[in-house]
Amino acid sequence: MQLTKEAFGNDFVWGVSTAAYQIEGAHQHEGKGSSIWDVFVQKKNKIFQNHKGDIACDFYNRYVEDLHLMHRMHIKNYRFSIGWSRIIPDGTGEINKKGIDFYNRLIDLSLELGITPWITLYHWDLPYALELRGGWVNREVKDWFGDYVGICVKHFGDRVKNWMVLNEPTVFSAAGYFFGVHAPGKTGLENFLATAHHASLAQAYGGKIIKSLQQDSRVGTTFSCSYVEPFSARDKDVRAAKKADVLLNRLFIEPLLGLGYPTTEIKALKRIERYMQQHDEADLRFDMDFIGLQNYTREVIRYSMFVPYLQAKIVTAKERKVPMTAMNWEVYPESIYHILKKFSAYKNIPPLMITENGAAFPDQVLGGEVHDPQRLSYLQDALQQVHRAKQEGVQVDGYFVWTFLDNFEWAEGYYPRFGLVHVDFQSQERIVKSSGHWYADFLQDE
Ligand code: BGC
């Protein structure tokens, strides 16, 4: 069946997502301070071929053309993040007026073109000056973050109503503070638990601050999530899958909903309580207006005695010999359906939005065009599954493609291309891919 956007209802929000460090470039321009990513990419062998986000898509200098392109593609909602160190170079204290001006121009032009801005307040680029004071491991981060959120609402809140407090706390706390493969490159259980708790506190606190300053705001936050299945029906695998589910899907949503941390399946998680102070349990709770879910794949999990704390490991798509993307993630469209069902089953869950979904494939420019049939069917198949969940009564109110432009894909550098629009990183030329043309047609009003 051919889906139309009308099948999702008139109020359904359709958009694209990006993140500051992945596209803006201009890493030292006009007063911007360094972020942990600016510093992390300077280290040897952390990023694929030592790529850096210094220039990325040069969006800082090219946002006018890019927003016009977005407009021509009939995209009416744009989720982007604010670079904290662009507007407050040291993370706290003095404001960089030029940075504020940049986001003002971006917001103003979006609105002029009929594109509604959705701001993510934290998409992983902590000001480096704050990292020197302990970063997310230091509990004070909650207040630094709160001040920054207040400044954003004060400067942009007259025009921006839609906010997402954090981008994927699971990923930045695990990749950046446990495995050390993302900035700032910290490792170990204690760094991870401290970060996780402070991120949870900051998430609820950020939400409260936005609401207190702007009553008519629409406030959400975003979570990475994967449908988790055990490799076999063996008890050990089933138990391993339950543990992985805690980490991949439950750790951040449950305290936010007032359910506390899910510590029963994984003993080591109990140690998070050491970072908790009186009132924290209540302070972790906040009634978001929506929850953003970001889904790319499913994970199949088996028992492994060699993995510390978890005794669980991912059976990769390669091992299972199933279709996969350039990230080596399984192409499994039903995942997004199961995730929507799973999150909607929580009591008191607010409306859901898919705030990221998309796929990287090795694209090629041929005769000035990029044909990307795999991405195209990935997106169409995912939408069928979102629609299926919606038909079954799940309240899902929006869908944002990850992502608008090919960009700097964190530790993977520029290698995986996720964009609807191809970017030549030498010439900065943009070419709308077939998937981008399809999305534009899909979104076009009759
Ligand atoms: C992140 C994006 C990232 C995408 C693809 C999400 O985890 O929010 O920044 O580029 O997935 O890996």
Side-chain angles (χ1 to χ4, degrees):
M1 182 198 50
Q2 188 80 353
L3 267 188
T4 61
K5 89 171 188 310
E6 286 68 30
F8 291 78
N10 290 339
D11 296 332
F12 199 83
V13 176
W14 295 98
V16 289
S17 292
T18 65
Y21 187 72
Q22 295 181 274
I23 61 165
E24 283 179 6
H27 69 302
Q28 293 178 323
H29 288 42
E30 301 192 320
K32 178 180 169 298
S34 286
S35 78
I36 53 174
W37 272 94
D38 291 313
V39 174
F40 190 68
V41 297
Q42 305 298 328
K43 299 186 182 168
K44 278 268 161 285
N45 302 327
K46 292 289 181 193
I47 311 291
F48 175 76
Q49 294 184 352
N50 294 312
H51 290 169
K52 298 180 173 53
D54 296 2
I55 300 175
C57 308
D58 196 28
F59 182 76
Y60 189 78
N61 295 308
R62 293 170 195 267
Y63 73 94
V64 174
E65 295 131 71
D66 287 334
L67 285 182
H68 276 96
L69 178 58
M70 205 179 276
H71 173 66
R72 288 199 298 280
M73 290 170 70
H74 312 295
I75 294 163
K76 298 226 165 67
N77 293 278
Y78 178 30
R79 169 180 177 236
F80 59 90
S81 75
I82 304 275
W84 183 345
S85 67
R86 196 179 285 292
I87 66 165
I88 313 175
D90 289 331
T92 57
E94 215 152 304
I95 290 177
N96 176 31
K97 209 182 148 294
K98 291 239 159 97
I100 301 271
D101 287 350
F102 167 67
Y103 292 110
N104 273 331
R105 293 196 305 272
L106 181 60
I107 292 164
D108 288 343
L109 182 59
S110 300
L111 291 170
E112 226 175 278
L113 294 170
I115 299 169
T116 303
W118 293 69
I119 287 185
T120 308
L121 288 157
Y122 185 74
H123 202 127
W124 306 355
D125 45 358
L126 188 78
Y128 186 62
L130 297 181
E131 180 57 29
L132 293 176
R133 296 160 74 182
W136 285 100
V137 176
N138 182 346
R139 193 180 161 97
E140 281 179 63
V141 71
K142 178 189 160 194
D143 296 315
W144 304 330
F145 183 69
D147 292 347
Y148 156 70
V149 170
I151 285 166
C152 289
V153 178
K154 186 174 137 223
H155 283 91
F156 311 128
D158 55 333
R159 287 149 297 150
V160 175
K161 299 287 171 228
N162 305 299
W163 305 91
M164 304 190 199
V165 182
L166 295 183
N167 183 71
E168 300 188 349
T170 305
V171 177
F172 79 75
S173 56
Y177 294 82
F178 183 80
F179 295 112
V181 295
H182 276 191
K186 283 186 170 151
T187 52
L189 184 66
E190 295 309 322
N191 282 325
F192 168 70
L193 292 177
T195 296
H197 182 54
H198 301 148
S200 269
L201 281 175
Q203 181 172 256
Y205 187 49
K208 283 171 204 164
I209 289 180
I210 303 168
K211 270 286 168 212
S212 70
L213 297 172
Q214 192 190 47
Q215 281 77 27
D216 63 342
S217 53
R218 172 140 70 148
V219 183
T221 194
T222 75
F223 298 120
S224 53
C225 43
S226 302
Y227 178 49
V228 171
E229 285 192 295
F231 181 68
S232 79
R234 283 194 321 162
D235 253 17
K236 280 185 163 180
D237 286 345
V238 171
R239 234 175 301 132
K242 276 199 176 138
K243 290 181 181 184
D245 186 45
V246 168
L247 281 187
L248 294 173
N249 298 317
R250 298 175 49 196
L251 181 60
F252 287 91
I253 182 72
E254 296 194 2
L256 184 68
L257 294 176
L259 301 171
Y261 287 116
T263 56
T264 39
E265 329 278 347
I266 306 171
K267 251 205 233 121
L269 261 190
K270 264 230 134 330
R271 273 149 71 175
I272 203 166
E273 285 164 10
R274 287 201 284 176
Y275 298 93
M276 293 185 69
Q277 299 182 1
Q278 235 193 339
H279 304 301
D280 275 10
E281 181 126 10
D283 288 348
L284 289 170
R285 203 192 145 153
F286 179 67
D287 290 330
M288 293 283 173
D289 296 318
F290 68 94
I291 293 295
L293 300 179
Q294 321 205 137
N295 176 252
Y296 291 88
T297 191
R298 80 165 156 179
E299 299 296 0
V300 172
I301 305 290
R302 79 184 311 170
Y303 169 79
S304 164
M305 67 188 282
F306 302 111
V307 181
Y309 311 120
L310 273 189
Q311 284 77 49
K313 79 183 244 301
I314 289 174
V315 189
T316 63
K318 245 190 206 151
E319 290 168 80
R320 289 182 284 125
K321 299 191 173 55
V322 289
M324 58 189 187
T325 69
M327 297 291 281
N328 296 338
W329 295 342
E330 182 185 5
V331 177
Y332 188 74
E334 291 85 353
S335 177
I336 206 164
Y337 163 82
H338 290 298
I339 278 299
L340 283 165
K341 294 289 271 193
K342 178 181 173 71
F343 276 73
S344 69
Y346 282 112
K347 218 171 118 201
N348 302 330
I349 189 90
L352 303 173
M353 298 239 184
I354 300 297
T355 42
E356 284 184 24
N357 172 246
F361 289 107
D363 300 320
Q364 272 189 323
V365 183
L366 286 176
E369 297 185 350
V370 179
H371 291 294
D372 58 341
Q374 289 171 296
R375 182 175 297 101
L376 180 46
S377 44
Y378 180 100
L379 295 172
Q380 290 177 334
D381 293 348
L383 280 184
Q384 292 281 1
Q385 297 295 328
V386 175
H387 189 250
R388 176 178 163 210
K390 200 170 163 67
Q391 293 280 79
E392 290 177 21
V394 172
Q395 189 170 357
V396 48
D397 291 350
Y399 177 89
F400 291 73
V401 175
W402 183 268
T403 179
F404 184 54
L405 303 169
D406 289 341
N407 63 23
F408 176 80
E409 176 52 40
W410 309 114
E412 270 64 48
Y414 294 100
Y415 166 64
R417 293 178 173 271
F418 274 90
L420 293 172
V421 176
H422 183 275
V423 176
D424 177 327
F425 292 105
Q426 302 303 316
S427 67
Q428 291 295 344
E429 191 197 350
R430 275 64 164 148
I431 299 173
V432 180
K433 302 177 192 176
S434 315
S435 58
H437 286 297
W438 164 76
Y439 197 47
D441 288 346
F442 179 83
L443 296 182
Q444 185 164 26
D445 289 318
E446 299 295 291

